[in-house]
Amino acid sequence: MPATTAATVVLTARALLLDMDGTLVDSGPAVERVWRAWAAKQGLDGDRVLEVVHGRQGFASMAILLPDRPMEVNHAENAEMLARETADTEGVVPIGGAPALLASLTGLPHALVTSADDALARARMGAAGLPVPAVAVTAEHVTRSKPDPEGFLLGAELLGIDPRECIVFEDSEAGTRAGLAAGMRVIGVGPATTAYGATVTVTDLTQIQVSTNDSGTLTVTITP
């Protein structure tokens, strides 16, 4: 389906699971500053590094980019990278439609599912002026990074909702693959997600409206 749908699409669910970077928050400039500096230090191409890190936890990205390096080194360096990213929130802003979407979800089953740790998630959501959902699955809560479905399955479990009744909002290939692997439908944010296999693709969150009924069913309306 194209980035801007030709007709209104309606999906129903019992819960929504929301990625953060690139989905709710535009943190691109901050991510680029930190990871290009890391790439230069490692003698790696910055563009290649940015392609790999999107949607993944840092240690998993490092394992792809530096396959011969011990994982304990990756985990240690990932902690340093998270601290640098947490301290750098310049230019972090909400994705279009994110404030209204989160406001509409007040009191409804939803969760944040992000590869960031808790400190980074709160720093970026705060910088963008967005509330952190009551249920938040961050890096501390999982042992495997996206594209593994662990984070989304945990989000569904914490909400008490069957994974098949959840809709994921994602922008990255790793995240889209994780949502689909969890047996969930995926609303892709950004035109690239069409190629990743997203169920429906939108330009941004201004195309999304969420309502509910007395039975607790969420209706997600996607407009052109």
Side-chain angles (χ1 to χ4, degrees):
M1 185 169 290
T4 301
T5 60
T8 298
V9 176
V10 177
L11 302 176
T12 59
R14 303 286 294 185
L16 305 182
L17 304 177
L18 309 161
D19 173 54
M20 181 181 71
D21 291 304
T23 300
L24 295 175
V25 169
D26 180 358
S27 55
V31 171
E32 183 162 345
R33 283 191 295 272
V34 172
W35 280 98
R36 280 195 184 278
W38 180 85
K41 182 179 178 182
Q42 303 300 327
L44 297 173
D45 178 72
D47 291 341
R48 166 63 176 157
V49 169
L50 290 173
E51 288 176 3
V52 171
V53 302
H54 194 48
R56 291 184 172 87
Q57 290 194 45
F59 70 85
S61 299
M62 293 171 187
I64 293 171
L65 293 161
L66 299 170
D68 297 328
R69 193 164 76 161
M71 280 304 296
E72 57 266 28
V73 177
N74 294 337
H75 281 285
E77 197 160 72
N78 183 49
E80 297 174 6
M81 294 295 287
L82 285 168
R84 291 182 192 134
E85 290 186 280
T86 300
D88 186 352
T89 57
E90 183 180 351
V92 173
V93 296
I95 292 290
L101 174 62
L102 286 174
S104 74
L105 296 181
T106 302
L108 302 180
H110 68 289
L112 186 71
V113 181
T114 176
S115 295
D117 66 0
D118 183 74
L120 179 56
R122 293 185 183 281
R124 286 190 175 156
M125 291 288 279
L130 300 174
V132 177
V135 177
V137 177
T138 58
E140 295 93 338
H141 301 112
V142 297
T143 59
R144 297 179 297 279
S145 173
K146 300 171 184 176
D148 191 281
E150 181 185 5
F152 287 123
L153 291 172
L154 178 57
E157 180 183 344
L158 293 173
L159 292 170
I161 304 294
D162 188 310
R164 295 169 295 180
E165 296 185 297
C166 296
I167 292 176
V168 166
F169 285 70
E170 262 288 357
D171 73 302
S172 71
E173 181 176 8
T176 300
R177 287 169 54 197
L180 295 173
M184 303 173 182
R185 291 153 293 161
V186 177
I187 294 177
V189 181
T193 58
T194 300
Y196 304 155
T199 310
V200 181
T201 296
V202 297
T203 302
D204 64 24
L205 300 175
T206 60
Q207 292 175 247
I208 304 292
Q209 298 288 328
V210 179
S211 60
T212 189
N213 60 23
D214 292 340
S215 71
T217 298
L218 305 181
T219 298
V220 181
T221 302
I222 303 125
T223 55

